[in-house]
């Protein structure tokens, strides 16, 4: 399940926010995972065909196998050309 929101902050700036939850069962090995996620981003339209993006994502996975429990932080910076 993922829920998200996108909002125009200025004429050339858009913000996004999403949150989600996932449950997975691996019955053959008796493992179950639960993952909660949140991400946020900005998209800046700086020229006719060019955008810049900045995003942050956080995932937290808990598992019945302790070696599969982890937190993950990811940031990214991007440039998009649309033609």
């Amino acid at each position: 399940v993922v829920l998200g929101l996108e909002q125009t902050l200025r004429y050339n700036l858009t913000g996004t926010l999403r949150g989600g939850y996932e449950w997975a069962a691996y019955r053959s090995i008796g493992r179950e995972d639960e993952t909660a996620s949140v991400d946020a981003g900005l998209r800046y339209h700086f020229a006719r065909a060019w955008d810049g993006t900045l995003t942050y994502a956080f995932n937290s996975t808990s598992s019945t196998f302790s070696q599969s429990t982890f937190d993950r932080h990811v940031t990214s910076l991007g440039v998009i050309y649309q033609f």
Side-chain angles (χ1 to χ4, degrees):
V1 176
V2 176
L3 295 174
L5 173 68
E6 183 173 301
Q7 178 67 43
T8 300
L9 304 172
R10 292 182 36 187
Y11 72 95
N12 62 346
L13 183 64
T14 303
T16 59
L17 182 63
R18 293 188 323 180
Y21 174 81
E22 179 181 348
W23 178 79
Y26 306 95
R27 295 172 202 259
S28 62
I29 60 173
R31 176 178 147 193
E32 295 180 359
D33 292 356
E34 294 182 42
T35 303
S37 60
V38 175
D39 62 69
L42 292 173
R43 185 171 183 152
Y44 179 66
H45 184 70
F46 61 88
R48 185 174 56 94
W50 293 91
D51 291 349
T53 61
L54 174 64
T55 60
Y56 169 76
F58 172 73
N59 294 324
S60 181
T61 299
S62 60
S63 177
T64 54
F65 283 19
S66 62
Q67 58 271 49
S68 297
T69 296
F70 63 94
D71 290 339
R72 179 173 57 178
H73 302 267
V74 178
T75 56
S76 63
L77 181 64
V79 176
I80 299 168
Y81 177 76
Q82 297 177 1
F83 55 93

